[in-house]
Amino acid sequence: MVTLQDVRDAAKRIEGVAHHTPVLRSRTLDALVGAQVYLKAENLQRIGAFKFRGAYNAIRKLGPEQLARGIAAYSSGNHAQAVALSARELGTHAVIVMPEDTPRSKLDAVAGYGAEILTYDRYTGNREQIGDRLAAERGLTLIPPYEHPDVIAGQGTAALELLEEAGHLDAILTPVGGGGLIAGSAIAAKGVQPGIRVVGVEPEAGNDTFLSLAAGERVTIPVPRTIADGQAAPTPGELTFSINKELVDEIVLVSDEEIRDALRFAVDRLKIVLEPSGASGLAALLSGRLNPPPARIGVILSGGNVGAARLAELLV
Amino acid sequence: MVTLQDVRDAAKRIEGVAHHTPVLRSRTLDALVGAQVYLKAENLQRIGAFKFRGAYNAIRKLGPEQLARGIAAYSSGNHAQAVALSARELGTHAVIVMPEDTPRSKLDAVAGYGAEILTYDRYTGNREQIGDRLAAERGLTLIPPYEHPDVIAGQGTAALELLEEAGHLDAILTPVGGGGLIAGSAIAAKGVQPGIRVVGVEPEAGNDTFLSLAAGERVTIPVPRTIADGQAAPTPGELTFSINKELVDEIVLVSDEEIRDALRFAVDRLKIVLEPSGASGLAALLSGRLNPPPARIGVILSGGNVGAARLAELLV
């Protein structure tokens, strides 16, 4: 359904608009892990996370009538900013459905990109229904955060760039939330290097994809309590799971404390800011969850939208 | 005394050993400043700061007898780590003279690179005298933090890389401490693009180079109290000042509060960790100290060695 060619096409579509983010190396990290580690720094991507790749790719593919009518999305996180910025870049209007208790800084960021915000009560409202109704009533095109082939293809471009720069890798690690990043990454990575091992990382409390792969079908867990808010999906996406059950080799789990340690390592040794979800791949490596580690490992550091005040809390 | 060719030779010497650090772009920053800003991320350099470039270049140029006898340096900061790591990379022994109240993390970092540490009381001891005596007694070669042509040439390689990647720039901003980074940067930048404006940034409390340039001779101020500990030199170096009085166009001053704001901006928007000195160029731009700003500006973000606990303090 989504192919390597789709990812390559997405890479052309986002060229010059998305950042070609750097691949960072740390000999300290290599020595600690006992492997060569290539860190794809998507925290340095526009809007601070890989999500811009997928949203821009999907919106860029729309026809002129759809762009004229506008875009809708629901998200409390990075997808909201990704759609808002992509819409502005492409000269269309975006309406983002966000929980009314979303932190002020995130609402401001979305509004700052010129999007219209509709808030709802997350305890009584259903964001999918609100988004669907809004899209139907106003003729908007809904861009979902991961259940969309063009979004998945766009997310795969980060892995494509990583493999182009690092050369042969034995494994690639990505965080797993709804499953869009790892699905796109797996399509890109196994398309380019069929023997590569694709490893997903979930927080222990948010192990829905881990359980789903073990069960062979989508499992729903209670809404996870974890500092990795970008990975708090209670169930895998239908489309993303259909891809991931074919292409993902393994899911490893990390604790919130291991994620915090990885955040501190990122600050102390890598000099970069990661959000908790963005650090989970690093956490898996530093805590020895891949044992023995493959010789050459790529890791997608998926985002850095944590905010100075929250980062200060997490570091102490 | 130090030429563009020296910087180019240094660039070859450090190739494959020092990181070719990324040049970061932020459209948010561009919009705030009203210019195109190219950020050379030396916080992502080995040991977390540009200092590795100069130390490695200087030690790499030593003869086999000098390398066999070993290296000495005095520093409480990034130069200590730079010399320790360079010595290890080049198979020689380093002895670093450090104040006895140096934070544990910095002592550990230097020791971790295999260097021998000698501590002294910073209130009663004189580090230059201790370093000189040590070097004489044990036949070590002293690598000073900035008063050395090979150190200055090495520091200039960051600006050279920045100009290669960014193309034409109207101005380049670097922090000024002892003056080695800006001297090397000015030699490289004016060598490649003679019309470029070279702007130094000092903390308001550490304005020794500002005052010295105004006076036309080296001025000594009381030891500055500033959060920008890498820029707390009370007087410019003799060699560095002889270069900087010819090549530096302007020094702008920033307050500690402006530096903190820049640190927060780096975390919130750039997703990178800077130490206070490393953020002073960014602080100058964000606080409008260049008014009107030139159209295309390069900034050297000189380092990120702040530590998670201290960063948390600075962010709140």
Side-chain angles (χ1 to χ4, degrees), chain B residues 67 86-93:
Chain B
L67 288 176
S86 299
R88 192 185 72 182
E89 289 280 330
L90 291 163
T92 182
H93 181 70

Side-chain angles (χ1 to χ4, degrees), chain A residues 172-198:
Chain A
I172 186 166
L173 263 73
T174 88
V176 181
L181 175 62
I182 194 167
S185 300
I187 290 161
K190 295 213 165 174
V192 174
Q193 298 182 8
I196 197 169
R197 190 167 145 203
V198 175

Side-chain angles (χ1 to χ4, degrees), chain A residues 15-305:
Chain A
E15 197 180 334
V17 185
H19 289 319
H20 192 111
T21 54
V23 175
L24 306 179
R25 303 274 293 119
S26 160
R27 302 192 198 204
T28 306
L29 179 62
D30 286 1
L32 282 171
V33 174
Q36 287 197 278
V37 184
Y38 294 82
L39 302 166
K40 180 68 170 167
E42 285 295 296
N43 60 317
L44 305 180
Q45 186 50 267
R46 293 186 75 182
I47 71 103
F50 73 95
K51 291 275 186 184
F52 181 68
R53 296 173 180 271
Y56 187 87
N57 185 53
I59 299 173
R60 180 74 182 72
K61 281 189 75 180
L62 299 179
E65 328 74 53
Q66 287 173 297
L67 287 176
R69 280 200 294 270
I71 309 298
Y74 44 82
S75 165
S76 58
N78 293 332
H79 180 62
Q81 292 185 56
V83 169
L85 176 59
S86 299
R88 192 184 72 180
E89 289 280 330
L90 291 163
T92 181
H93 181 70
V95 185
I96 316 286
V97 179
M98 303 181 78
E100 61 191 9
D101 58 355
T102 302
R104 188 80 247 162
S105 61
K106 294 196 174 186
L107 293 169
D108 287 348
V110 171
Y113 293 129
E116 179 183 341
I117 296 171
L118 287 186
T119 58
Y120 71 101
D121 181 336
R122 74 162 90 217
Y123 302 102
T124 59
N126 176 313
R127 66 180 197 170
E128 284 85 352
Q129 281 173 10
I130 296 168
D132 289 344
R133 199 173 55 225
L134 172 76
E137 283 173 7
R138 292 175 54 175
L140 307 174
T141 302
L142 190 73
I143 305 292
Y146 44 88
E147 285 287 277
H148 193 299
D150 298 333
V151 172
I152 292 169
Q155 317 304 32
T157 58
L160 199 63
E161 290 174 9
L162 172 55
L163 287 163
E164 277 165 8
E165 188 159 339
H168 171 81
L169 292 176
D170 299 300
I172 186 166
L173 263 73
T174 88
V176 181
L181 175 62
I182 194 167
S185 300
I187 290 161
K190 295 213 165 174
V192 174
Q193 298 182 8
I196 197 169
R197 190 167 145 203
V198 175
V199 182
V201 184
E202 287 190 307
E204 283 175 348
N207 61 346
D208 55 299
T209 295
F210 175 83
L211 294 175
S212 299
L213 288 174
E217 60 178 11
R218 293 163 66 218
V219 167
T220 299
I221 61 172
V223 175
R225 288 182 176 274
T226 167
I227 60 169
D229 53 310
Q231 300 183 270
T235 187
E238 201 173 325
L239 173 61
T240 54
F241 185 69
S242 73
I243 295 168
N244 293 332
K245 77 178 176 198
E246 300 301 323
L247 297 182
V248 173
D249 295 285
E250 184 184 0
I251 301 280
V252 297
L253 304 177
V254 292
S255 70
D256 277 12
E257 203 41 64
E258 288 166 343
I259 291 175
R260 281 175 73 136
D261 288 342
L263 283 182
R264 284 189 208 103
F265 181 89
V267 166
D268 275 335
R269 306 306 302 241
L270 306 177
K271 323 299 178 192
I272 57 172
V273 173
L274 299 176
E275 60 187 277
S277 307
S280 60
L282 189 58
L285 284 184
L286 287 170
S287 57
R289 300 287 181 144
L290 262 76
N291 197 3
R296 294 173 58 84
I297 310 173
V299 181
I300 298 189
L301 305 176
S302 57
N305 287 325

Side-chain angles (χ1 to χ4, degrees), chain B residues 45-97:
Chain B
Q45 186 51 267
R46 293 186 75 182
I47 71 102
F50 74 95
K51 291 274 186 184
F52 181 68
R53 297 172 180 270
Y56 187 87
N57 184 54
I59 299 173
R60 180 75 181 73
K61 281 190 74 181
L62 300 178
E65 328 75 52
Q66 288 173 299
L67 288 176
R69 281 200 295 269
I71 309 298
Y74 43 82
S75 165
S76 59
N78 294 331
H79 181 62
Q81 293 184 55
V83 169
L85 177 59
S86 299
R88 192 185 72 182
E89 289 280 330
L90 291 163
T92 182
H93 181 70
V95 185
I96 316 286
V97 179

